[in-house]
Amino acid sequence: QVQLVESGGGSVQAGGSLRLSCATSAYIYNNFYMGWFRQAPGKEREGVATVTRDGITAYVGDVKGRFTISRDTAKNTLYLQMNSLKPEDTAMYYCAAARTAGDWWRRQNIYWGQGTQVTVSS
């Protein structure tokens, strides 16, 4: 069973920072394509950032330059450092893993964490 356990969400004011964590098993960490999605109320779930096993990162939209995705192999943990947060970043953030990048971006055959809420006030 795939387990993705997120933590680190919370409420901050605009301009603040949060770091999300996603702990998983060594098998998932070493064999799956991983990253973060988010879903704001009334909107579709969207990919935010990914990182390959080789450390190649990808970001979507205006999170570029503000968010940093990283991996800690010793802890089998994925992180999302979020700086300069804006009210429009308010969403439930989900860690997600899939066997291929294609599956991940198409959200098929994908495993989800339980989600962690991020709320940014103006």
Side-chain angles (χ1 to χ4, degrees):
Q1 185 173 352
V2 175
Q3 283 196 317
L4 302 167
V5 181
E6 299 122 331
S7 61
S11 297
V12 296
Q13 291 192 323
S17 298
L18 286 171
R19 188 177 79 156
L20 307 183
S21 301
C22 173
T24 188
S25 68
Y27 177 76
I28 297 302
Y29 184 87
N30 291 312
N31 293 285
F32 279 58
Y33 188 84
M34 295 184 67
W36 295 91
F37 280 83
R38 68 184 179 186
Q39 187 167 19
K43 294 189 176 181
E44 282 199 10
R45 195 169 296 190
E46 61 176 2
V48 175
T50 65
V51 59
T52 69
R53 291 184 291 276
D54 297 326
I56 299 171
T57 59
Y59 300 92
V60 178
D62 80 337
V63 307
K64 296 176 185 178
R66 300 188 298 121
F67 291 10
T68 302
I69 189 170
S70 62
R71 297 161 57 97
D72 186 334
T73 299
K75 297 181 179 179
N76 298 325
T77 298
L78 186 71
Y79 298 101
L80 186 67
Q81 177 67 43
M82 305 184 294
N83 299 327
S84 302
L85 282 161
K86 304 176 181 180
E88 50 265 44
D89 294 317
T90 295
M92 186 72 80
Y93 283 71
Y94 297 90
C95 180
R99 291 193 178 274
T100 68
D103 279 350
W104 197 94
W105 286 105
R106 288 190 294 267
R107 291 177 286 169
Q108 61 186 36
N109 302 314
I110 194 168
Y111 298 95
W112 301 101
Q114 80 280 6
T116 186
Q117 179 67 39
V118 171
T119 302
V120 185
S121 58
S122 57

